[in-house]
Structure formats: structure tokens, C-alpha cells
Amino acid sequence: LKHFERDCERLSRELFTIGGLVEEATAGAVRALVERRRELAEQVIQGDRVIDSREVELEEHCLKVLALHRPVAIDLRFILAVLKVNNDLERMGDQAVNIAERALALVDQPPLALVLDMAAMAAQVQQMVRKSLNALVQHDVTEARQVRRLDDEIDELNRRLYVVVRDLVLETPTAIERALSILSVSRNLERIADLATNIAEDVIFLVEGEVVRHRRGD
Amino acid sequence: LKHFERDCERLSRELFTIGGLVEEATAGAVRALVERRRELAEQVIQGDRVIDSREVELEEHCLKVLALHRPVAIDLRFILAVLKVNNDLERMGDQAVNIAERALALVDQPPLALVLDMAAMAAQVQQMVRKSLNALVQHDVTEARQVRRLDDEIDELNRRLYVVVRDLVLETPTAIERALSILSVSRNLERIADLATNIAEDVIFLVEGEVVRHRRGD
């Protein structure tokens, strides 16, 4: 039993490491966009390989723990949650890469004031990622529920941005490509927020056995 | 051992049922868009509840099989793959709902010829979903690799669509909202294709132990 707990702690640590890399990638990609820094965008794109290989490693470690201890009930559910969250983190990393690619495309074009909204949104999304991992490892349902609330705010930010972008294009049609790039970034951030929300909902399920993920009319 | 095989067959059947529902939802949402049929779009949105509850059920069944048989090696990997694919299918269902919502928004607006491209794209995406599930249940790597090739074509279709939409907005700025809706639909279809590709890549991993999912610079 002791062994199993020690192994779980190691898996949790690995998950936090990957989560940290994902947060860094998200922050870096958005900073590259706002500060128009090509080299920072390229760094994020390169760095995704590290996230990818960490994901593969952690998956192998989970399989080993499953094969070795053959856990049941809550212990089994925890390992399965780690596997799922691991996969979600990797997908978040891909979204950060998408943002970095948009940042690269926008470096050569005249700046749009709109990018500033992305910085605020990114800060909130990062907070959601961190909180969702904390909630998982601490089995903290209160923190998990906070993540779901923050996700509603992100959706609202996105809706407002849509209106701003639409009005910009109606006024200045030639800004269409830049406008689409910004919308794409906001959608990438929304996807990261959704994945963090998935994690939070898995935590609630893990702890309370209550399926909340299909409650909202998402 | 016999028991385990029989249980696996049942899980596969359940997975195919959900896959069928997802295909139907995707086809229905795009048909609602092309044929401007409000009631069909609403049907897809309602129907997502069925997909959601089937997903929860299948997850429970997988957990029971894990707890009962405590499989190892390839058997363990298969059950874990079913869990992951189950989750991916549910996410595809959410994308179909997004398309149906776009279809509803577009019903009241003047039609765009662009929607016809969505029908062709949807047909290909459906084929990818079916092939990826077949590949999983048959452990068929050849079919899995076909899915990856089809995904490259979807990405290409999307790139071409982007250019068409951009030119449309430059010419007719007031079409911006409809144009954004179409782009959003094409992105939803691309997401379904990506999820089918994830499944195909998991099959290759399951059968050959080879990690292909991070091979492409995606």
C-alpha cells in the first residue's frame, strides 16, 4: 500500500511538471503575440516537443503502476484520471502552439489594439489550468467548482470579443486576416479553458461520484 | 479469459453504437445547415443528451471490467483505449451540437453558396469517424493509417476555405457574421477529424507499440 501511495505521488509530481510547462507555453505564446516577439513564439513551438515526450513518459508510468498494483475503486479512478488529464494537458500544449503560430503570422502586420484583450484572457486561463491540477491532486472539490465558474467568464469574454471583431471588420474590411487571427487565438484560449474545466469536472466525479460534466447545456 | 473476451466484445459494441450516434449527429447538423432546416438542428442539439448518457454508461462498464478482470498488457491497453475513445466520441458530439447551433443562427439570414463545401467536408469527416472505430475494434493498422491521410486532406480543405471566406469578406464586408459562422462550422468539422485521427493514432500505438501521435509537426 505504501508503495502505491509513493507511486501516486510521483505521478502527481510528473503531472504538475507537465502542467507547469503548459502554463509557461500559454503565457509565452500570448506574450509573443502582445509584444510581437518572433523568437519567443518560435521557442514555444520548439518547446512543445518536451511536453509531448513528458506526456508519453507519464502514460507509460501510469500503465506500469496499473500493472504492478492493479488498484481498484478510488485508486483505480485516480490513475485513470491522471491518464486523462495527461492527455488533456498535451492538447492544451497544442493550443499554445497554435497561438504561437498566430503570433508569428501577426508580427509582420500592422498591430491591432485587440491583442491586449488576449493578455487578460490568457492570465485567467493560466489560473484555471493551475487550479484544476491543484484540485485533482488535493481532491479539492471547492477549487474544482471555482474552475467551472471561471470558465463561464471566459465564454463571456469570448462573446464580447466576437462583437468587437465583427465591428472592426465592418469598419475596416482589410483588417479581416488580422481579425481572424485574433479570433483564432481567443478560440485557442477558450479550448484550453474548456480542457481545464474537463479536468475540474473529472475531479468532482472522482471525489463525489457525481457526473457534472454534462450538466451545463454546453 | 472467455468472460473477459465476451466483456470486451460488449464494450466494442457499445462504442460502435455511440460512434453511430456521433456520425448521425454530424451528418444531421450539416444537413440542417445546407437545407436550412431548423427542426433538424434542434433534433441534433436534443440528441446530444443520449450521447452523453451513453458515454457515462460505457465508462462505468469499462471500470467494472477493469475491476473484475484486472487485465494486464495488451488487454489493459485495449480497455484504456476504449475509455479514451469514448471520451473523444463525446467531444465529437459536442462539436456536432456547435454546428447545429450555427445552422440555427444561419436559418434567418440570406443563404451563402459556401455552405455547400461543408457537405463534402462532413461526408469525409464521417468516413474518418467510422474508419477510426473499425480500426480500433479490428486492431487494423492499415485502416488507422488511412484516417491520418484523410486528415491531411481535411486540413487542406480548411486552408482553401479560409481564402474563400477572406475574399468574400473583402468584397462584401456585411457578410462578416455569416462568414464567421461558416468558418466556425469548418473548424468544428476539423476538430471532429482531429479526434478521429487521435483514435487512429491510439490504434497504431495499441497494435505496434509505436507512438505516432507526435510525429507530425501538428
Side-chain angles (χ1 to χ4, degrees), chain B residues 90-155:
Chain B
E90 188 270 328
R91 292 179 190 194
M92 290 181 195
D94 289 342
Q95 299 299 315
V97 168
N98 291 342
I99 296 173
E101 284 169 350
R102 286 301 101 219
L104 281 183
L106 286 168
V107 155
D108 299 322
Q109 307 205 25
L112 278 184
L114 266 178
V115 295
L116 292 176
D117 297 340
M118 296 299 104
M121 200 166 160
Q124 178 147 344
V125 166
Q126 264 182 278
Q127 202 195 348
M128 289 174 69
V129 173
R130 200 171 325 126
K131 274 180 174 297
S132 66
L133 293 184
N134 257 333
L136 175 70
V137 171
Q138 310 287 339
H139 291 222
D140 184 342
V141 173
T142 311
E143 196 154 17
R145 291 195 194 279
Q146 280 169 17
V147 174
R148 301 185 82 214
R149 270 194 300 275
L150 288 170
D151 194 45
D152 293 336
E153 289 175 30
I154 291 287
D155 289 344

Side-chain angles (χ1 to χ4, degrees), chain B residues 21-193:
Chain B
L21 292 171
V22 167
E23 270 188 66
E24 257 176 56
T26 308
V30 174
R31 204 170 336 117
L33 177 77
V34 174
E35 300 175 5
R36 304 168 71 78
R37 285 169 57 188
R38 185 187 300 277
E39 90 295 348
L40 186 53
E42 279 161 359
Q43 209 174 298
V44 170
I45 295 169
Q46 294 293 319
D48 193 48
R49 282 194 215 153
V50 180
I51 295 176
D52 288 350
S53 62
R54 292 291 183 121
E55 185 223 358
V56 172
E57 258 174 53
L58 178 49
E59 189 169 308
E60 281 307 315
H61 293 163
C62 285
L63 288 173
K64 270 189 199 149
V65 172
L66 278 178
L68 188 68
H69 300 286
R70 303 198 183 189
V72 290
I74 180 84
D75 293 336
L76 174 60
R77 280 176 194 266
F78 178 74
I79 305 292
L80 295 177
V82 171
L83 275 168
K84 200 164 162 188
V85 169
N86 185 35
N87 193 240
D88 286 341
L89 287 175
E90 188 270 328
R91 292 179 190 194
M92 290 181 195
D94 289 342
Q95 299 299 315
V97 168
N98 291 342
I99 296 173
E101 284 169 350
R102 286 301 101 219
L104 281 183
L106 286 168
V107 155
D108 299 322
Q109 307 205 25
L112 278 184
L114 266 178
V115 295
L116 292 176
D117 297 340
M118 296 299 104
M121 200 166 160
Q124 178 147 344
V125 166
Q126 264 182 278
Q127 202 195 348
M128 289 174 69
V129 173
R130 200 171 325 126
K131 274 180 174 297
S132 66
L133 293 184
N134 257 333
L136 175 70
V137 171
Q138 310 287 339
H139 291 222
D140 184 342
V141 173
T142 311
E143 196 154 17
R145 291 195 194 279
Q146 280 169 17
V147 174
R148 301 185 82 214
R149 270 194 300 275
L150 288 170
D151 194 45
D152 293 336
E153 289 175 30
I154 291 287
D155 289 344
E156 182 54 34
L157 283 177
N158 249 311
R159 266 189 293 274
R160 265 185 272 160
L161 185 77
Y162 175 86
V163 176
V164 174
V165 166
R166 185 199 58 196
D167 294 348
L168 170 75
V169 173
L170 284 172
E171 208 172 295
T172 320
T174 51
I176 178 71
E177 292 196 80
R178 285 174 292 155
L180 289 179
S181 284
I182 295 293
L183 271 189
S184 157
V185 168
S186 81
R187 217 169 284 107
N188 292 141
L189 288 172
E190 193 185 14
R191 281 274 303 135
I192 298 176

Side-chain angles (χ1 to χ4, degrees), chain A residues 55 88 90-91 187 214, chain B residues 55 88 90-91 187 214:
Chain A
E55 185 224 357
D88 285 341
E90 188 271 327
R91 291 178 191 193
R187 219 169 282 110
H214 302 309
Chain B
E55 185 223 358
D88 286 341
E90 188 270 328
R91 292 179 190 194
R187 217 169 284 107
H214 302 310

Side-chain angles (χ1 to χ4, degrees), chain A residues 82-201:
Chain A
V82 171
L83 274 167
K84 199 162 162 191
V85 169
N86 185 35
N87 193 239
D88 285 341
L89 287 175
E90 188 271 327
R91 291 178 191 193
M92 292 182 194
D94 290 343
Q95 299 299 316
V97 168
N98 290 343
I99 296 172
E101 284 169 351
R102 287 301 99 216
L104 280 183
L106 286 168
V107 154
D108 299 323
Q109 306 205 28
L112 280 184
L114 266 178
V115 297
L116 291 176
D117 296 338
M118 296 298 103
M121 200 167 160
Q124 177 147 345
V125 166
Q126 262 182 279
Q127 202 196 348
M128 288 173 70
V129 173
R130 199 172 323 125
K131 275 180 173 296
S132 66
L133 293 184
N134 257 333
L136 175 70
V137 171
Q138 310 285 339
H139 292 223
D140 182 342
V141 173
T142 311
E143 195 152 20
R145 292 194 194 278
Q146 280 170 17
V147 174
R148 301 185 83 213
R149 268 194 299 276
L150 288 169
D151 194 45
D152 293 336
E153 289 175 29
I154 291 285
D155 290 343
E156 183 52 37
L157 283 176
N158 248 312
R159 265 189 294 275
R160 264 185 272 160
L161 186 76
Y162 174 88
V163 175
V164 174
V165 166
R166 184 199 58 194
D167 294 347
L168 170 74
V169 173
L170 284 173
E171 206 173 297
T172 321
T174 51
I176 177 72
E177 293 197 79
R178 285 173 291 156
L180 289 179
S181 285
I182 295 293
L183 270 189
S184 157
V185 168
S186 81
R187 219 169 282 110
N188 293 141
L189 288 172
E190 193 186 14
R191 281 274 304 137
I192 298 177
D194 280 344
L195 288 163
T197 306
N198 284 350
I199 296 175
E201 289 173 351

